[in-house]
Amino acid sequence: MSLRPARRAPSRPDAGGAWRDSPHLWFWLMTGPFLAGLAVFVLVPIGWSVWLSLFDAHNTVTPTRFVGLDNYRDMLADPAFRSSLVTFVVFAAIVVPLTFAGSLALAVLVHGVRRFQAFFRSVFFLPLACSYIAASLIWRGSIFPGVPTGVANAALRAVGAEPVAWLSVVDPPWYWLVLVTLRLWLQLGFYMVLFLAALQRVPRHLYEAAALDGASGWTTFVRITLPQLRAVSVAVLLLATVNAFQAFDEFYGVMATAQGYPPYARPPLIYLYYVAVGNGQDFGHGGAGGILLTALIAVIALAQGRFTGLFRGRGER
């Protein structure tokens, strides 16, 4: 009889524990809900719109008559659609520079505050929590109403000026002031936070060296601050441009009660909304217009990235 102890089978690693320790599990747990939402609410609707744009889809989302690119040709030949595209270009040309300059100025001012910096940062960021529709109702009903009343006209009366019908469809087009100020109030705080985060990462010794050289405040800002903010500046310009081309809520909320949309006050999303959801429910032409608008935004974003050097390598800058 052998006195040697019996050999034990080698222990297996816990398969469940190994899976729990795997980084792949936590990656899919964290990104899975986002990817599922992206597929259901973004990718599937985009694919469905592309499919509908190739059919004669009136009052149905299951069309049978294939028309190819006819819907695209019809939209490009539609003067109202082309006019709405001009509206986007005008709106972006006004809002994007003002957003960039305003958010950068606010960031510099808040960054220079020694006390209560968190308070001012929160105050300027707070409007982002307000929905565009709610802000549109406030602007239209209290600050810039269509009748000669409201906060803005009270301020004009205080300085002896005549009240203005801000939402009138006749010249001068004061409604642009309403739309632009609403957009600036809603989004300046967000871009200010981006600039503020970048300002806090600028090395302090650069400013100390500039002070020793006797550089003025403006020279320091142009030669040191702006170059250090180049990456976030490109991001702000790109985000502000894309957001400007996606404008819908403020135009719909402010101008819906006007006597018909005045010239250059109906952006493409408003026009496509009435095409696809209006009496005709023309999903074919609505889908074609949405794809054309997406292509336009992509082209402008790529051109802006090319102009600002976003796609150049580090050695080419």
Side-chain angles (χ1 to χ4, degrees):
M1 181 176 179
S2 175
L3 299 179
R4 289 182 300 177
R7 297 179 60 184
R8 298 177 59 185
S11 60
R12 290 183 176 182
D14 184 5
W19 173 244
R20 285 193 299 269
D21 294 336
S22 173
H24 303 290
L25 170 66
W26 301 108
F27 171 80
W28 288 112
L29 284 178
M30 295 298 178
T31 62
F34 169 77
L35 294 176
L38 180 68
V40 172
F41 297 107
V42 177
L43 299 181
V44 171
I46 290 176
W48 194 263
S49 296
V50 173
W51 186 75
L52 287 176
S53 68
L54 302 176
F55 289 83
D56 181 14
H58 284 81
N59 300 307
T60 180
V61 293
T62 56
T64 57
R65 191 167 76 88
F66 181 78
V67 296
L69 300 178
D70 288 349
N71 290 330
Y72 292 89
R73 284 191 288 265
D74 294 341
M75 294 303 295
L76 290 175
D78 186 356
F81 181 68
R82 295 201 305 266
S83 175
S84 67
L85 295 178
V86 174
T87 300
F88 260 7
V89 175
V90 173
F91 184 68
I94 297 173
V95 167
V96 173
L98 290 177
T99 298
F100 182 88
S103 57
L104 178 57
L106 285 178
V108 171
L109 291 175
V110 173
H111 183 66
V113 174
R114 298 300 179 184
R115 302 178 62 182
F116 304 109
Q117 186 178 114
F119 169 76
F120 290 109
R121 184 172 63 244
S122 301
V123 167
F124 289 121
F125 187 78
L126 189 60
L128 190 66
C130 182
S131 71
Y132 276 64
I133 288 295
S136 301
L137 296 176
I138 295 172
W139 246 244
R140 188 185 69 189
S142 300
I143 301 178
F144 298 102
V147 294
T149 57
V151 176
N153 281 324
L156 291 178
R157 288 194 187 92
V159 297
E162 292 294 328
V164 175
W166 300 101
L167 301 182
S168 174
V169 298
V170 298
D171 290 332
W174 291 112
Y175 54 83
W176 274 109
L177 179 64
V178 181
L179 295 169
V180 171
T181 54
L182 172 60
R183 171 57 71 100
L184 293 177
W185 182 77
L186 285 167
Q187 69 179 14
L188 278 183
F190 171 74
Y191 298 113
M192 179 207 69
V193 170
L194 297 183
F195 277 123
L196 191 59
L199 283 172
Q200 293 172 349
R201 300 186 62 180
V202 177
R204 299 300 304 173
H205 69 269
L206 297 178
Y207 294 114
E208 295 171 357
L212 291 176
D213 291 340
S216 64
W218 177 252
T219 302
T220 301
F221 177 76
V222 173
R223 298 295 180 87
I224 296 178
T225 304
L226 279 182
Q228 292 292 322
L229 299 179
R230 183 183 179 280
V232 71
S233 297
V234 173
V236 167
L237 285 173
L238 186 60
L239 290 174
T241 301
V242 173
N243 287 336
F245 275 81
Q246 292 177 338
F248 176 85
D249 294 347
E250 60 266 50
F251 280 87
Y252 186 81
V254 170
M255 304 304 300
T257 58
Q259 301 170 3
Y261 280 89
Y264 302 113
R266 184 172 66 176
L269 291 181
I270 296 289
Y271 176 75
L272 295 177
Y273 173 79
Y274 284 111
V275 169
V277 187
N279 295 330
Q281 292 191 347
D282 190 350
F283 300 116
H285 285 94
I291 300 303
L292 290 173
L293 178 59
T294 303
L296 175 63
I297 295 175
V299 169
I300 292 178
L302 291 174
Q304 187 183 60
R306 181 69 177 177
F307 177 76
T308 56
L310 180 63
F311 306 118
R312 292 201 296 266
R314 183 179 295 272
E316 301 175 359
R317 296 176 182 176

